[in-house]
Amino acid sequence: MVPRVKGTQDFLDLSLYNFVIDRIKKHLQRYHFTEIATPILEAVDLFNRSLGLYTEVVTKEMFIIATADEEEPICLRPEGTASTVRAFIEHQIQSPWKVFSYGPMFRYERPQKGRYRQFHQVNIEIIGAKSIAQDVQLIKMLDRFFHEELVLNNYALLLNFLGCFDDRKTYQLLLKDFLEGPIEGELCSMCLDRKERNIMRIFDCKNPLCQKIYKNAPTIVDNLCKPCEKEWQQLQEQLSLLSISYAYQPTLVRGLDYYNKTVFEFVSKNLGAQNAFCGGGRYDQLVGQLGGKEDQPSLGAAIGLERLLLLLEPFKDQLPLEKLPALQVIMPLTSSQHSLALLLADDLQAQHLCVDILLAGDSLKSMMRKANKMGATYALILGEEEQKTRTVTIKNMTTGHEERVAQIDTASFVKK
Ligand code: AMP
């Protein structure tokens, strides 16, 4: 046996997955988002230029595909925002553009609960959205989805504000000064490395000693320029206005370089170490960075479907998942009734009934057992007698009641 690739999953029951996708599509359409789909294959350069050369996704986690020498290197997409922005620029779309897409993403990470090498995201983006009130609306839309559509309660919203790119630059210098102060000798080797390459990622360190030190680090919200300071206040006031509870988290920086101003994550204790099931924020310069004619202030979010499914699994029975259609099982008693069984099935299927035929030549008793297992509503028995008289014996699988009905009346009988 060749097992599945490490960090991938087989979905053998898609009922919950399909429920979530169906609900989010309807929810997003109500907020005037349009569905799009972009390719799974993209140029490596797209992510080098957007996510940042020193981010972990780019340095360690890309699935790069070997191509002929003269061709541009390509990869399996690790996230959705860069692709959406590429599509926006490539098709010369007018802003504002409110779109969503969903599908698999690929990152070469160490697999663990809630962390896979192939995982699925719903990506939601608003390209051309300057006002901070848009951030509030996006967060409210997500919160309403989790709370009202999926009836989740066991989560929290973490929020931080990274300011504009100038603020970030100033802050990074402040942070460097702090890290190079008296505490430098106490930092772990990974943090020392991050200090040089991608300084704000130090906050993701899992080492308790480093985390203790960072409690005293300068915060970016204390070092914002005047306009950003105003927007940060506005963000908090409008979130409260819409009754959204959130926790300010000064160490939330999110992994990718393109974020500025608002960043947020929805997290749940029930998920263990990989506790974020949705993350997002603003990326005001990404369109310009990827070759757009002018910058388009933008924002977006990605919902991690595997983690959302993990949260929902214990409450699955309380959700109105789509019910399977009632199944009718046709049982030809011998091979002489196979053609008749095909015809009857074809007639019922043409009338949109859900039908299966048992053609393995089993005894009636064994066919009944199988139909029971399959959850059949009715068994439609075709023997020599039924063939002669153009009838079918219909057995109600719940009550056990049997009735002989003309073959042409089968559909109307089972539909009753
Ligand atoms: P990111 O694109 O890193 O901002 O991630 C957005 C969301 O995608 C996270 O909050 C997770 O729910 C999910 N996610 C990211 N990486 C993985 C992974 N390796 N496996 C499963 N879910 C992931």
Side-chain angles (χ1 to χ4, degrees):
M1 210 248 335
V2 182
R4 66 180 189 274
V5 170
K6 199 172 160 187
T8 66
Q9 285 195 100
D10 294 314
F11 287 83
L12 302 180
D13 176 357
L14 281 167
S15 54
L16 194 55
Y17 179 95
N18 286 340
F19 170 78
V20 171
I21 293 292
D22 182 57
R23 281 289 164 114
I24 189 78
K25 277 187 180 186
K26 288 185 179 138
H27 188 70
L28 284 165
Q29 278 155 3
R30 282 196 290 274
Y31 282 81
H32 196 221
F33 285 86
T34 307
E35 185 177 354
I36 60 162
T38 58
I40 286 169
L41 295 176
E42 292 279 4
V44 172
D45 203 35
L46 176 67
F47 302 104
N48 288 346
R49 284 171 61 177
S50 55
L51 309 186
L53 280 175
Y54 297 116
T55 56
E56 263 157 37
V57 176
V58 164
T59 53
K60 295 195 203 143
E61 298 172 1
M62 295 275 265
F63 276 94
I64 297 176
I65 295 172
T67 46
D69 282 348
E70 67 278 10
E71 280 178 33
E72 175 153 28
I74 59 171
C75 63
L76 301 178
R77 62 181 182 192
E79 61 103 54
T81 303
S83 305
T84 308
V85 170
R86 179 204 43 74
F88 173 81
I89 299 168
E90 198 164 339
H91 300 281
Q92 296 169 16
I93 293 163
Q94 290 297 308
S95 66
W97 199 41
K98 291 176 73 176
V99 289
F100 72 97
S101 56
Y102 67 95
M105 304 293 156
F106 304 83
R107 294 182 196 173
Y108 190 77
E109 294 194 88
R110 196 170 50 78
Q112 64 181 89
K113 186 185 167 205
R115 189 160 75 187
Y116 303 94
R117 290 182 174 173
Q118 175 175 340
F119 58 98
H120 298 76
Q121 285 185 341
V122 177
N123 287 89
I124 304 147
E125 317 289 350
I126 312 176
I127 299 183
K130 195 168 186 318
S131 165
I132 287 292
Q134 292 273 12
D135 307 32
V136 178
Q137 214 195 4
L138 179 73
I139 292 172
K140 177 72 193 186
M141 181 280 290
L142 291 164
D143 188 48
R144 172 163 280 151
F145 178 66
F146 301 135
H147 188 61
E148 293 175 21
E149 291 290 319
L150 302 182
V151 209
L152 283 175
N153 287 311
N154 47 356
Y155 68 87
L157 167 65
L158 307 182
L159 183 73
N160 196 10
F161 199 79
L162 304 179
C164 55
F165 285 94
D166 283 343
D167 287 344
R168 221 163 106 167
K169 269 191 218 140
T170 317
Y171 176 67
Q172 284 173 349
L173 293 177
L174 270 176
L175 193 57
K176 197 150 190 275
D177 276 352
F178 170 77
L179 296 179
E180 288 175 350
I183 47 98
E184 188 168 19
E186 296 168 49
L187 298 179
C188 74
S189 58
M190 193 127 87
C191 283
L192 288 173
D193 186 47
R194 282 177 172 165
K195 173 169 79 75
E196 300 307 324
R197 291 168 176 277
N198 192 358
I199 192 162
M200 282 159 75
R201 289 305 301 265
I202 56 150
F203 292 120
D204 293 339
C205 182
K206 297 275 183 283
N207 185 328
L209 207 75
C210 293
Q211 280 304 334
K212 201 169 155 216
I213 293 171
Y214 301 149
K215 284 209 168 85
N216 298 318
T219 65
I220 199 159
V221 297
D222 287 336
N223 292 284
L224 297 173
C225 63
K226 278 274 164 300
C228 282
E229 167 65 32
K230 219 171 135 198
E231 285 185 318
W232 169 227
Q233 289 310 326
Q234 182 195 337
L235 178 69
Q236 295 173 87
E237 279 163 25
Q238 291 181 341
L239 286 172
S240 301
L241 181 73
L242 295 191
S243 313
I244 302 166
S245 334
Y246 62 89
Y248 160 58
Q249 174 103 349
T251 54
L252 179 72
V253 290
R254 313 235 334 109
L256 315 173
D257 273 7
Y258 55 61
Y259 286 115
N260 65 306
K261 295 187 180 170
T262 313
V263 283
F264 61 87
E265 259 175 14
F266 286 88
V267 296
S268 174
K269 281 202 185 87
N270 299 26
L271 286 171
Q274 302 303 318
N275 65 352
F277 60 95
C278 173
R282 224 167 224 288
Y283 48 91
D284 288 345
Q285 292 188 359
L286 190 54
V287 174
Q289 225 169 302
L290 289 179
K293 278 200 205 90
E294 53 191 31
D295 266 337
Q296 294 280 352
S298 305
L299 71 155
I303 303 174
L305 283 167
E306 279 75 5
R307 295 190 197 164
L308 191 57
L309 296 185
L310 274 175
L311 279 183
L312 290 171
E313 195 59 46
F315 311 103
K316 196 177 163 181
D317 294 344
Q318 292 159 35
L319 295 170
L321 304 190
E322 197 188 3
K323 284 205 181 68
L324 293 174
L327 171 70
Q328 327 304 331
V329 174
I330 302 181
M331 300 177 182
L333 293 186
T334 70
S335 57
S336 309
Q337 286 87 44
H338 279 189
S339 298
L340 175 59
L342 283 177
L343 274 174
L344 180 64
D346 190 50
D347 178 42
L348 300 182
Q349 280 152 350
Q351 301 186 58
H352 297 119
L353 289 164
C354 170
V355 182
D356 209 343
I357 320 175
L358 298 181
L359 293 164
D362 296 324
S363 67
L364 181 61
K365 199 167 158 196
S366 157
M367 286 198 282
M368 282 299 172
R369 224 179 290 128
K370 278 189 183 168
N372 234 331
K373 261 201 182 152
M374 291 157 78
T377 314
Y378 288 110
L380 311 179
I381 305 158
L382 295 172
E384 215 175 297
E385 187 57 31
E386 286 85 355
Q387 194 165 18
K388 259 194 241 153
T389 55
R390 297 191 177 178
T391 56
V392 51
T393 300
I394 301 183
K395 178 171 175 171
N396 182 319
M397 297 299 286
T398 317
T399 63
H401 176 76
E402 277 190 21
E403 206 166 317
R404 191 70 87 74
V405 175
Q407 280 164 18
I408 52 162
D409 295 333
T410 316
S412 54
F413 183 94
V414 300
K415 275 183 185 169
K416 265 198 301 207

